[in-house]
Amino acid sequence: MRPIILLDSGVGGFSVYKPAKELLPNEDFIYIADKKYFPYGDQPAKIVQERVFSIAQWAIENKAKMFVLACNTATVTAVKKLRKKYSSIPVIGMVPVIKTCVEQTKNGKIGVICTPRTARSAYQKELITRFANDKNVYIRSCPGLVESIESIKGHAVDNLSELQKALLYLKNKNIDTLALGCSHFPLVKDNIQNLAGENVLILDSGGAVSRHIKRVLKNNKDLYKSNHKGRTQFYTTAKPSEFDIMIKRYLNLKSRSKLLRV
Ligand code: DGL
């Protein structure tokens, strides 16, 4: 069966995979963690683009029915060029839920936390100008947070000073809505909520992206209708045994990931 391929630099795409798997139980998935180049947030744009193109090529060779960038950093850096270069496969990206934040905010003050690369990106700036021009949007990057989420020892992210500083800054701005602009962050949403305070509404894009995946497959008449029980294969470009620990930690699955040499 032709799989849906999801790509992230590491475990972040699990925040898309989980709702997508629930919504599409008959589909086969291939999840790719590009751990060799992790974190994308600190990489030059050229490297992120080259990685995304090479893995898209692999997806096409492996007859994928769809290629999902389950990563905000990869999307803001590469999705436009990717769609031009690889028009033979449907590509889905993910961006911070600015539009939903605008619908939900009561006081017009919105926070966004993301990787340094996404914070600097023209793509995110355009999104804010387009949807939130009459709101106050405050963006903070949280260096070190994705590394902490991927740490084998399991660091307590609440103690991360960069995250504490970012949320203190946003609290002082009196935000009432916060967009998680990195696919890794929903995996530690409870910790972020503790630091942000219970009055802040936290939103992420995993649910919306998975509904979009379903909509596009339906429009393309490419959804499986059989009773086939969908399977998932996990690949990583570095250290499969460490990635298996992450699969257990965040998905509670015992799985053997394979090394992908791309
Ligand atoms: N999960 C990725 C995102 O959504 C980025 C993590 C990284 O910096 O590699 O932005």
Side-chain angles (χ1 to χ4, degrees):
M1 287 178 63
R2 290 160 55 235
I4 299 167
I5 297 195
L6 282 88
L7 168 68
D8 181 54
S9 58
V11 298
F14 289 169
S15 65
V16 176
Y17 168 71
K18 277 199 262 188
K21 173 79 187 155
E22 232 177 86
L23 202 60
L24 299 162
N26 303 128
E27 299 293 328
D28 284 349
F29 288 87
I30 291 183
Y31 185 98
I32 301 174
D34 193 12
K35 288 289 298 205
K36 200 168 165 193
Y37 290 83
F38 171 86
Y40 278 177
D42 293 350
Q43 297 281 10
K46 202 168 174 297
I47 299 281
V48 176
Q49 287 168 1
E50 278 169 13
R51 294 307 297 154
V52 168
F53 295 164
S54 306
I55 296 169
Q57 185 62 44
W58 186 88
I60 292 168
E61 282 159 18
N62 282 275
K63 312 222 172 333
K65 58 163 73 175
M66 174 177 274
F67 186 48
V68 182
L69 296 179
C71 172
N72 295 74
T73 308
T75 303
V76 299
T77 312
V79 78
K80 287 184 185 168
K81 287 191 173 160
L82 179 69
R83 287 201 175 109
K84 273 196 200 135
K85 210 169 149 83
Y86 296 95
S87 52
S88 63
I89 185 167
V91 170
I92 305 280
M94 75 186 289
V95 287
V97 275
I98 307 287
K99 218 175 139 194
T100 319
C101 287
V102 168
E103 285 157 17
Q104 295 292 329
T105 180
K106 296 207 166 54
N107 69 4
K109 297 181 201 304
I110 297 166
V112 180
I113 52 172
C114 54
T115 64
R117 166 151 290 292
T118 301
R120 286 195 306 271
S121 75
Y123 196 116
Q124 180 163 274
K125 285 187 190 120
E126 279 165 30
L127 209 68
I128 292 169
T129 313
R130 189 156 156 223
F131 295 113
N133 218 5
D134 58 339
K135 306 284 183 265
N136 294 310
V137 182
Y138 305 99
I139 305 167
R140 294 278 102 177
S141 64
C142 297
L145 181 52
V146 290
E147 288 88 342
S148 211
I149 292 169
E150 300 256 354
S151 135
I152 285 298
K153 288 187 194 131
H155 285 160
V157 297
D158 310 55
N159 296 332
L160 202 72
S161 68
E162 290 295 340
L163 180 63
Q164 290 171 347
K165 264 196 269 172
L167 291 173
L168 188 63
Y169 171 89
L170 296 171
K171 256 174 138 172
N172 288 338
K173 294 291 179 196
N174 197 25
I175 60 152
D176 68 353
T177 314
L178 175 66
L180 302 183
C182 167
S183 60
H184 277 73
F185 298 173
L187 302 176
V188 292
K189 185 177 171 187
D190 291 349
N191 308 73
I192 295 173
Q193 187 82 64
N194 280 343
L195 292 171
E198 57 184 19
N199 296 330
V200 174
L201 176 68
I202 300 186
L203 298 166
D204 73 84
S205 11
V209 174
S210 51
R211 287 189 294 278
H212 190 48
I213 294 173
K214 185 172 181 180
R215 208 174 311 125
V216 173
L217 289 177
K218 199 169 170 204
N219 286 346
N220 294 350
K221 302 204 180 347
D222 215 358
L223 273 176
Y224 284 124
K225 295 206 179 78
S226 70
N227 290 328
H228 167 80
K229 195 169 175 292
R231 287 185 338 126
T232 302
Q233 286 173 273
F234 293 93
Y235 285 89
T236 175
T237 53
K239 301 188 183 151
S241 57
E242 290 190 3
F243 189 51
D244 292 346
I245 297 173
M246 297 292 134
I247 296 170
K248 178 78 186 120
R249 183 188 297 165
Y250 293 111
L251 296 175
N252 200 21
L253 290 178
K254 250 188 161 177
S255 184
R256 284 256 163 131
S257 57
K258 292 183 198 144
L259 184 66
L260 180 66
R261 293 177 206 275
V262 170

